[in-house]
Amino acid sequence: MLKIRFRYLFLILAVIMVGCAKRGSITGGLKDTIPPVLRSSSPENFSTNFNAKEIRITFDEYIKIKDVNKQLIVSPPMKYPPVVTPTNASKFINIRIKDTLQPNTTYSFNFGSSIQDNNEGNPYQQFKYVFSTGTYIDSLSLQGIIKDSYKKDVDNFVSVMLYEINDKFNDSIVFNENPRYITNTLDSLKTFNLENLKEGTYLLVAMKDLNNNNRFNSKSEKIAFHKEYIKIPNDTIYEMELFKEVLPFKATKPYQASGNRIVVPYEGDYKNVAVTLKNGSAVLDTKVTKFPEKDSLQVWFKPIKTDSLNVMLRKNKFEKDFTIRYKTQKKDSLNISSTPSGTLNPRDFLTLKATTPLVTIDNSKMKLINKDSVTVPFKTIYDEFNQEVKIDFTKEPLEKYTFEAFPGALVDLFEQTNDSLQYRLTTQNSSEYANVKLTLKNVKQFPVIVELTNDKGDVLASDYSDGNPVIDFIGLLPNDFTLRIIYDENKNKTWDPGDYLEKRQAEQVLYYPTLIHAGSNWDVDETIDLKALE
C-alpha cells in the first residue's frame, strides 16, 4: 500500500516538473523609445573664450553615429571638417577640430538625427553643441520656409546660407566662398531656423548642394535667393523658392552620324541657335531638328563629295566653329511610324513621326474615312523641329476611322517618299471620359498657363489663356488631377526659372491644394480663387 502511494506521489511530481519545463517566450517588457540623454561635455556646451582642439560629449547609454557626414551641420562652415569618433558603439563622442577658428565667432555643431541609441536606434533629434571664441554667444535667429518654384514637393537636405555684406562681398561669392552661417532642412523638414547669429546685413540663399561643398554649381544644383539684403535682427518669416537655372547654350564637338546627318551635342537653351554648314566657302542647304530624347541637334544636308565640313554655331555670346572630317557613310532613309495605335482619345492627335525631315505634305494624297466609308475632313500640322505630322479632325464617339497616306503624300529633304500607309483607329463612348471646367477668380495678370498633372507631376492636359477666365478640359481620361497655374510673365507659353546673377526670380506657380477627382462620365465645375493660393 505504501509503495502504491509513493508511485502516485512520484507521478504527480513528474507531471509538475514537465509543466515547469515547458518553453515560453520572454517579452522583455515595452520597447525602448527614449533617446539618449546628455550627461556631460568638455568643454561645456555654450562655452565662451573657447580655444580647445578636442571636444568630448558623454551620454547616459551606448550610442551610435549614423550618416554623420550628411547630418552634421557646422556653422560657420570649416575649411577642414571636424573629425567625429568613434564609429562603433560608445557612451561618448569625440570631436577633433582641424581648422583654425575665427576670433570672436559663435560656432554651432548640429548633429541632426545622427546620434542614436545603440539598441533601438532612437535619435537624439537636433542635438547642438555651441561655443564662442569670444566673450559671449551670439543669440539672434532667422526663420523661413523652403519651397520648389515649379514642383509641388520640395527636395530634402536643402542648405540655407547667410553671406555677410562687407567690403569683401560680391555676387559671385556663392560660387567661390563659404557662407558666414549655414543650416540644413535635413531629411524631414521644409522649414529652416538659422541660430546663433550676430547682428548685421546678409544675403540669404538656399541651395540643393549635391556635392556638399557649400558652393553653387549652376549646371546641376537648384538655388533660391532673397532679392534684397536682409538685416538681422528681424522677425520676418522668409519664403525661399528653389529653381534650377537654364544654362547658356554651349555646344561640344559635332560628329557625323550618317552620310546626310551631323549630330551636335549641347547643353543649355538650344532655342533659336543659328547653325551654318559650309563646304569650303559654299554654304549648304540644311534642316536642323531635335535628336529624340537626347540633348543634341541634328543637322541634315544632301550628300556631297568632300573631305571636310565646317559647322558654325551662334547664339548670344556663344560662337564656335567646328571642322568635321567627312566620310562616305550610309544615308538615312525615310520611315514613318505612328501614335497612338488602337484607341484614339478625344484629346489625342494621330501623329506621324518621320525619321528624316519632311519638305512636302500633300493632303490630296491622304484620306480619312469613318466606318461607313464617309470621308472625314482633316488638317495636318507639321512640327519641323520634331519631325512630326499631326492629323487633326473632329472625333465622334463609338466610331471607327481609317487613315491612308498614298505614295508621294510625304516627301523628305532627300526626295524620298513614303510607301502606302494605313492606320485604323477607334473611339470610345463619351461616357468613358471626364470633363473639367475651371473658372479662375482674382487672376493677377494674364496670360496664364493652366495644367492638370498626375501625382508624378506629368502634364496630362494644358491650356493657355490670354484673358478668358474659363478653362474647359473636355474628354479627359479619368484621374485624380493636381491643378498647377503659371503666371507667364514673358508670354513665351512656358514656365521660366530664375537666374541668380541676373537677380531674376522664377515665374510664379500656384497649386490648388486639393486633388480634382474626375471619374468616368463626370462633369466637374470648380471656381479657383488664385489670390487664396498665393
Side-chain angles (χ1 to χ4, degrees):
M1 192 73 175
L2 187 61
K3 288 182 179 181
I4 292 172
R5 287 177 180 174
F6 271 114
R7 286 176 182 171
Y8 279 114
L9 181 60
F10 179 78
L11 180 61
I12 292 170
L13 288 172
V15 170
I16 292 172
M17 290 179 68
V18 169
C20 291
K22 286 183 178 179
R23 293 186 178 184
S25 60
I26 301 174
T27 63
L30 296 175
K31 182 180 178 181
D32 178 17
T33 59
I34 301 174
V37 176
L38 176 68
R39 285 295 186 214
S40 64
S41 57
S42 179
E44 289 187 7
N45 204 356
F46 296 96
S47 292
T48 56
N49 297 312
F50 185 96
N51 59 5
K53 285 295 182 184
E54 191 161 312
I55 303 162
R56 174 169 285 209
I57 303 170
T58 305
F59 298 89
D60 68 333
E61 61 178 311
Y62 280 94
I63 57 100
K64 58 186 176 183
I65 303 294
K66 184 178 180 182
D67 296 331
V68 70
N69 291 333
K70 194 172 185 180
Q71 293 274 346
L72 176 61
I73 306 299
V74 180
S75 182
M78 295 180 173
K79 182 178 180 181
Y80 305 106
V83 178
V84 180
T85 57
T87 55
N88 56 340
S90 174
K91 284 192 173 184
F92 64 86
I93 295 173
N94 276 344
I95 305 172
R96 183 160 58 89
I97 298 174
K98 299 173 65 179
D99 205 2
T100 300
L101 299 177
Q102 303 174 39
N104 300 313
T105 300
T106 299
Y107 285 85
S108 68
F109 291 65
N110 188 334
F111 283 82
S113 57
S114 62
I115 300 173
Q116 304 177 359
D117 72 47
N118 187 53
N119 292 325
E120 299 294 342
N122 299 310
Y124 190 148
Q125 294 284 7
Q126 305 295 323
F127 170 70
K128 289 179 67 176
Y129 182 86
V130 180
F131 64 83
S132 173
T133 57
T135 57
Y136 61 91
I137 300 287
D138 291 319
S139 58
L140 299 176
S141 63
L142 184 74
Q143 290 78 40
I145 302 168
I146 299 293
K147 293 184 177 181
D148 192 279
S149 290
Y150 184 69
K151 295 182 179 179
K152 190 173 184 179
D153 297 319
V154 67
D155 297 297
N156 55 14
F157 290 100
V158 175
S159 296
V160 184
M161 306 166 173
L162 286 175
Y163 296 86
E164 191 171 13
I165 307 302
N166 53 32
D167 55 357
K168 296 181 180 179
F169 176 85
N170 58 67
D171 284 335
S172 63
I173 196 170
V174 301
F175 301 96
N176 305 313
E177 301 291 339
N178 280 337
R180 173 68 178 180
Y181 298 106
I182 187 170
T183 189
N184 194 286
T185 61
L186 301 180
D187 58 351
S188 59
L189 299 177
K190 308 306 177 191
T191 59
F192 64 87
N193 189 15
L194 282 153
E195 297 180 313
N196 303 115
L197 311 178
K198 73 173 184 177
E199 183 177 349
T201 304
Y202 299 90
L203 168 68
L204 175 60
V205 168
M207 67 178 73
K208 177 61 177 174
D209 188 12
L210 297 174
N211 53 10
N212 297 315
N213 67 348
N214 301 324
R215 307 285 197 279
F216 176 47
N217 181 349
S218 59
K219 288 186 178 181
S220 58
E221 297 175 347
K222 294 179 181 178
I223 191 170
F225 65 94
H226 194 263
K227 195 169 184 178
E228 292 81 28
Y229 300 145
I230 64 171
K231 292 185 180 294
I232 292 175
N234 73 63
D235 56 1
T236 303
I237 304 297
Y238 289 92
E239 186 173 290
M240 307 292 288
E241 295 192 354
L242 292 164
F243 59 84
K244 188 177 182 302
E245 294 182 349
V246 174
L247 297 176
F249 177 81
K250 180 182 178 181
T252 56
K253 186 172 178 59
Y255 61 91
Q256 183 183 351
S258 69
N260 52 1
R261 179 167 54 107
I262 289 171
V263 173
V264 183
Y266 68 85
E267 64 180 33
D269 183 8
Y270 61 83
K271 294 176 183 176
N272 302 317
V273 59
V275 182
T276 304
L277 185 64
K278 297 178 73 174
N279 177 23
S281 59
V283 177
L284 304 181
D285 290 332
T286 59
K287 294 284 185 183
V288 178
T289 66
K290 182 75 171 61
F291 199 121
E293 300 179 1
K294 286 188 178 182
D295 289 340
S296 298
L297 299 174
Q298 302 179 112
V299 183
W300 300 88
F301 58 96
K302 293 184 178 181
I304 57 172
K305 292 183 178 180
T306 186
D307 294 327
S308 63
L309 292 171
N310 183 254
V311 183
M312 304 168 61
L313 299 161
R314 304 286 185 270
K315 182 174 180 182
N316 300 332
K317 296 180 180 179
F318 182 85
E319 295 185 3
K320 198 157 187 179
D321 298 347
F322 297 94
T323 299
I324 301 172
R325 290 188 61 190
Y326 183 78
K327 300 177 181 178
T328 302
Q329 293 185 10
K330 184 179 179 180
K331 304 174 188 64
D332 290 297
S333 56
L334 175 63
N335 288 294
I336 304 294
S337 58
S338 73
T339 57
S341 59
T343 301
L344 185 65
N345 295 316
R347 301 181 64 85
D348 293 341
F349 295 99
L350 170 61
T351 301
L352 308 182
K353 176 73 174 178
T355 55
T356 55
L358 301 175
V359 294
T360 300
I361 300 170
D362 189 347
N363 288 14
S364 68
K365 296 182 179 179
M366 302 177 188
K367 183 171 69 173
L368 179 66
I369 59 173
N370 63 16
K371 63 185 175 184
D372 297 322
S373 299
V374 176
T375 299
V376 178
F378 67 92
K379 63 179 180 179
T380 55
I381 306 166
Y382 183 46
D383 179 354
E384 181 177 89
F385 193 62
N386 291 297
Q387 299 171 207
E388 292 180 346
V389 181
K390 289 180 170 37
I391 313 300
D392 185 22
F393 61 97
T394 301
K395 292 170 276 292
E396 300 294 337
L398 295 175
E399 187 59 273
K400 295 181 180 180
Y401 295 98
T402 301
F403 177 81
E404 293 183 276
F406 305 108
L410 306 173
V411 182
D412 74 1
L413 178 64
F414 315 108
E415 300 178 359
Q416 301 175 109
T417 65
N418 63 289
D419 295 326
S420 292
L421 304 172
Q422 187 180 85
Y423 304 103
R424 298 182 186 277
L425 299 160
T426 60
T427 57
Q428 299 189 84
N429 198 319
S430 56
S431 62
E432 298 294 321
Y433 300 95
N435 303 318
V436 175
K437 179 180 179 180
L438 303 174
T439 302
L440 305 183
K441 181 182 175 183
N442 291 321
V443 181
K444 183 168 57 179
Q445 64 187 43
F446 285 97
V448 292
I449 304 169
V450 183
E451 296 177 336
L452 296 178
T453 77
N454 60 17
D455 56 359
K456 296 179 181 178
D458 302 322
V459 178
L460 303 179
S462 178
D463 204 349
Y464 191 81
S465 175
D466 282 313
N468 186 358
V470 179
I471 310 294
D472 271 316
F473 292 105
I474 306 297
L476 297 168
L477 288 170
N479 210 324
D480 288 329
F481 298 99
T482 296
L483 172 61
R484 176 166 60 210
I485 299 171
I486 302 167
Y487 281 115
D488 185 22
E489 294 179 13
N490 62 1
K491 302 181 181 181
N492 66 347
K493 298 188 177 181
T494 188
W495 176 78
D496 292 288
D499 188 285
Y500 166 74
L501 288 176
E502 293 180 5
K503 293 296 178 279
R504 173 168 47 82
Q505 299 286 357
E507 289 182 325
Q508 187 177 9
V509 175
L510 304 175
Y511 277 95
Y512 192 51
T514 57
L515 293 175
I516 297 175
H517 179 65
S520 297
N521 205 29
W522 281 34
D523 290 307
V524 179
D525 193 339
E526 293 271 0
T527 298
I528 311 297
D529 187 350
L530 270 61
K531 188 175 182 180
L533 304 184
E534 294 183 354

